[in-house]
Amino acid sequence: MQPTEPAQPQSQQMKSLSFSSQMSREDEEMARSALSAFRAKEDEIEKRKMEVRERVKAQLGRVEEETRRLANIREELETMADPMRKEVSLVRKKIDSVNKELKPLGATVQKKEREYKEALDTFNEKNREKVQLITKLMEMGQLVGESEKLRLKKLEELSKSIETE
């Protein structure tokens, strides 16, 4: 019985070896197919990563180009706006300086206008006085003339009366 016993484990070992070699061939095939599937998926993932990288790079390139364009446009606008700002500020400064000069001149003009009105009023008043004095003078001249006539008449009468005596 002993010799059959060792034969049995050997046959079992053989069966188990053949089973295990079959298993390992199946396992190897499964492992290979799993590995190839894994590699295929990994390749697909890598391919997608590269596509996404390329799209991101392209988008970044477009964004950088647009940024450069915007910077150029901003510079152009600033160069356009700056001269206008400078000119406007210069004009405002000139206006302010002219206003500062005009304020005392305006006050002087108002003062001179008042003085002119006062002088004109004084002139008109003196003119009226002159007219009144001339009128009085003329009246007096008439009175003097009449008085002279009366005196001459009296003198003539006196002289007649002296001659007749």
Side-chain angles (χ1 to χ4, degrees):
M1 288 205 153
Q2 280 184 348
T4 57
E5 276 185 6
Q8 228 181 2
Q10 235 181 16
S11 72
Q12 276 183 351
Q13 277 182 349
M14 288 291 259
K15 280 184 185 177
S16 96
L17 275 178
S18 76
F19 178 73
S20 97
S21 71
Q22 280 181 355
M23 280 297 274
S24 77
R25 282 182 198 155
E26 286 177 13
D27 283 344
E28 274 183 39
E29 277 185 41
M30 283 177 67
R32 281 183 192 155
S33 72
L35 185 62
S36 70
F38 177 75
R39 283 186 183 155
K41 283 189 179 187
E42 205 171 90
D43 287 344
E44 183 67 29
I45 288 171
E46 194 62 34
K47 185 179 174 185
R48 284 189 182 171
K49 276 169 82 175
M50 293 300 283
E51 287 175 0
V52 167
R53 248 189 219 135
E54 290 301 317
R55 276 189 259 149
V56 167
K57 281 183 183 178
Q59 186 69 22
L60 280 174
R62 285 191 295 267
V63 167
E64 287 174 357
E65 180 62 30
E66 289 300 317
T67 303
R68 276 188 235 116
R69 274 195 211 152
L70 285 174
N72 288 338
I73 291 170
R74 185 177 297 128
E75 284 178 26
E76 288 177 18
L77 286 174
E78 285 174 0
T79 57
M80 288 176 160
D82 279 345
M84 287 182 215
R85 285 184 193 155
K86 288 177 184 176
E87 289 177 23
V88 167
S89 68
L90 285 175
V91 168
R92 284 185 180 157
K93 285 179 183 177
K94 286 180 183 178
I95 289 172
D96 290 343
S97 68
V98 167
N99 280 339
K100 286 178 184 176
E101 291 174 14
L102 282 178
K103 281 183 184 179
L105 289 175
T108 304
V109 165
Q110 288 178 349
K111 182 180 174 186
K112 295 291 181 186
E113 283 178 345
R114 269 184 263 130
E115 289 175 2
Y116 172 76
K117 284 180 182 179
E118 289 172 5
L120 187 62
D121 289 345
T122 305
F123 174 77
N124 287 334
E125 189 177 320
K126 295 293 180 185
N127 220 7
R128 272 186 243 115
E129 284 179 26
K130 178 183 154 190
V131 168
Q132 287 174 353
L133 288 173
I134 289 174
T135 306
K136 265 187 180 181
L137 185 64
M138 290 177 84
E139 287 174 3
M140 289 177 107
Q142 279 180 343
L143 288 175
V144 167
E146 286 177 16
S147 162
E148 284 289 320
K149 282 181 188 177
L150 280 174
R151 275 170 72 210
L152 278 173
K153 268 186 188 180
K154 281 188 179 181
L155 270 173
E156 279 179 21
E157 284 174 14
L158 273 174
S159 96
K160 278 184 187 177
S161 73
I162 293 179
E163 281 179 16
T164 50
E165 282 181 24

